[in-house]
């Protein structure tokens, strides 16, 4: 089968696959993927040019409030089943060493690293996929028990970067090289470089890095000398207090907030916590763009759900006042407020 034919087959199959996800039709989605394999489309192309972009579109539909959380979860489950079916259909005997693939502690988006795991398996590695939210201590214990050539860690959320750094360092103390990926490290890998770890933008790049141990280990050291000021640690210690005081002010200034349902209250507290967590992560890596990008994203999410920009502006102003003795956090919050104003014009 020529590359042009493969592209045509995948192109025509993509819309049909999305329809299967929309209809929650696991069997049709699986049949479509297997039919492509039987027609000669390489398994790696099915995973990366069909399942992966479809899953990205699922996330976009949720962000635009076109799909509910339940629809998004159903679609993700179906794609996980399709990946399993593709893996079972293409039997590859490993010829390389063991690679451990896992999500960071607290990271529940397991499908992207699962795709990486299957690509590595297709390329001959013996892969152990540990799944979502793997505690660092459990990962290190596993590495001590099994001789791993490398570890591939994934994160979709930049707010997990401080935890990611600790996990990366724990792996290194076990003398196992690490490659990371996912949007949590920045679209261009900027925060992976700040943490001093090899970064791959996609599954093929991860496979190439893992095959080149010198490149995998030969990354510049972390650039985190700013953490000596203890601002990050102090901010984390105040997390609960900041959320409580922000919620109290919101109820005082927005009377409607006093009548929130339990679900609305839970969502509000979650959003207030996310703001603090993204702020802390921006302080950790000393990069305000991490926070401003989050503010713009959150503004779009809430706007698609009919929530006004003031719902974000109020807590940003509250946190800025409460953290006036935190110079780096204050600068980040000021830029976040400016980003919010620009996003809502």
């Amino acid at each position: 089968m020529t590359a042009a034919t493969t592209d045509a087959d995948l192109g025509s199959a993509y819309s049909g696959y999305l329809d299967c996800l929309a209809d929650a039709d696991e069997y049709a989605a699986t049949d479509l993927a297997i039919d492509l394999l039987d027609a000669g489309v390489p398994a790696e192309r099915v995973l990366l040019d069909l399942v992966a972009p479809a899953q990205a579109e699922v996330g976009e539909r949720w962000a635009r409030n076109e799909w509910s959380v339940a629809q998004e979860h159903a679609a993700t489950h179906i794609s996980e089943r399709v990946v399993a079916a593709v893996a079972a259909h293409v039997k590859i005997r490993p010829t390389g060493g063991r690679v451990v693939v896992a999500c960071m502690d607290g990271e529940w988006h397991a499908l992207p690293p699962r795709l990486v795991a299957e690509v590595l398996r297709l390329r001959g590695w013996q892969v152990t996929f540990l799944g979502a939210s793997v505690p660092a201590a459990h990962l290190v214990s596993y590495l001590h028990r099994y001789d791993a050539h490398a570890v591939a860690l994934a994160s979709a959320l930049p707010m997990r970067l401080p935890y990611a750094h600790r996990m990366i360092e724990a792996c290194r103390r076990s003398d196992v090289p690490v490659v990371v990926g996912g949007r949590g490290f920045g679209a261009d890998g900027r925060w992976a470089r700040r943490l001093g770890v090899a970064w791959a933008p996609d599954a093929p790049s991860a496979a190439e890095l893992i095959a080149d141990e010198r490149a995998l280990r030969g990354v510049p050291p972390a650039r985190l000398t700013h953490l000596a000021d203890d601002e990050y640690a102090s901010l984390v210690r105040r997390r609960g207090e900041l959320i409580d005081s922000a919620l109290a002010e919101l109820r005082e200034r927005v009377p409607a907030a006093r009548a929130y349902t339990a679900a609305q209250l839970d969502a509000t507290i979650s959003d207030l916590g996310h703001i603090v967590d993204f702020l802390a992560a921006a302080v950790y890596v000393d990069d305000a763009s991490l926070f401003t990008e989050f503010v713009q994203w959150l503004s779009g999410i809430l706007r698609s759900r009919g929530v006004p920009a003031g719902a974000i502006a109020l807590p940003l102003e509250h946190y800025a006042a409460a953290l006036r003795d935190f110079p780096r956090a204050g600068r980040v919050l000021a830029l976040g407020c400016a980003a919010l104003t620009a996003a809502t014009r």
Side-chain angles (χ1 to χ4, degrees), residues 173-196:
R173 286 193 291 273
S174 299
D175 195 33
V176 181
V178 181
V179 59
V180 299
R183 290 174 297 177
F185 293 96
D188 57 359
R190 73 188 79 167
W191 302 315
R193 290 189 290 275
R194 185 61 59 92
L195 299 182

Side-chain angles (χ1 to χ4, degrees), residues 33-291:
I34 299 304
D35 287 346
L36 288 171
L37 295 176
D38 290 341
V41 178
E44 187 170 316
R45 295 291 306 276
V46 173
L47 296 175
L48 300 183
D49 297 336
L50 180 72
V51 178
Q55 187 62 24
E57 175 59 23
V58 167
E60 289 298 319
R61 291 183 182 187
W62 170 83
R64 296 192 299 263
N65 203 27
E66 296 172 6
W67 279 17
S68 69
V69 171
Q71 287 174 296
E72 184 270 333
H73 284 187
T76 300
H77 169 73
I78 290 169
S79 284
E80 289 171 343
R81 296 284 290 172
V82 169
V83 172
V86 170
H89 195 76
V90 182
K91 294 178 173 59
I92 301 292
R93 185 171 294 278
T95 57
R98 183 186 300 274
V99 178
V100 177
V101 181
C103 289
M104 300 291 179
D105 191 4
E107 173 59 67
W108 297 96
H109 296 80
L111 183 55
R114 173 70 187 279
L115 291 169
V116 172
E118 294 307 330
V119 168
L120 291 171
R121 200 186 314 275
L122 288 168
R123 297 195 178 196
W125 294 99
Q126 182 180 349
V127 179
T128 301
F129 180 60
L130 299 183
S133 191
V134 180
H138 293 204
L139 175 60
V140 170
S141 176
Y142 189 89
L143 295 177
H144 285 163
R145 185 171 182 179
Y146 298 96
D147 183 24
H149 172 82
V151 175
L153 299 174
S155 179
L157 299 172
M159 70 178 184
R160 306 301 302 176
L161 283 171
Y163 304 91
H165 186 217
R166 290 195 283 273
M167 204 163 183
I168 291 162
E169 290 305 309
C171 292
R172 283 177 170 160
R173 286 193 291 273
S174 299
D175 195 33
V176 181
V178 181
V179 59
V180 299
R183 290 174 297 177
F185 293 96
D188 57 359
R190 73 188 79 167
W191 302 315
R193 290 189 290 275
R194 185 61 59 92
L195 299 182
V197 64
W199 172 78
D202 50 40
S205 300
E208 291 168 9
L209 258 177
I210 288 170
D212 185 351
E213 188 171 355
R214 179 177 295 182
L216 196 57
R217 292 182 181 272
V219 293
R223 293 178 287 128
L224 299 170
T225 55
H226 55 275
L227 292 178
D229 64 16
D230 200 41
E231 187 168 326
Y232 166 77
S234 298
L235 176 56
V236 171
R237 283 195 295 269
R238 292 188 59 181
R239 182 182 188 273
E241 167 200 333
L242 288 166
I243 294 170
D244 289 344
S245 60
L247 181 61
E249 183 173 358
L250 182 65
R251 284 173 158 167
E252 180 181 341
R253 296 180 59 180
V254 182
R258 301 170 200 163
Y260 277 178
T261 65
Q264 289 174 315
L265 183 60
D266 285 346
T268 300
I269 293 172
S270 178
D271 287 341
L272 292 173
H274 282 149
I275 293 171
V276 176
D277 293 339
F278 273 86
L279 173 62
V283 169
Y284 192 90
V285 296
D286 200 28
D287 186 349
S289 71
L290 187 157
F291 188 70

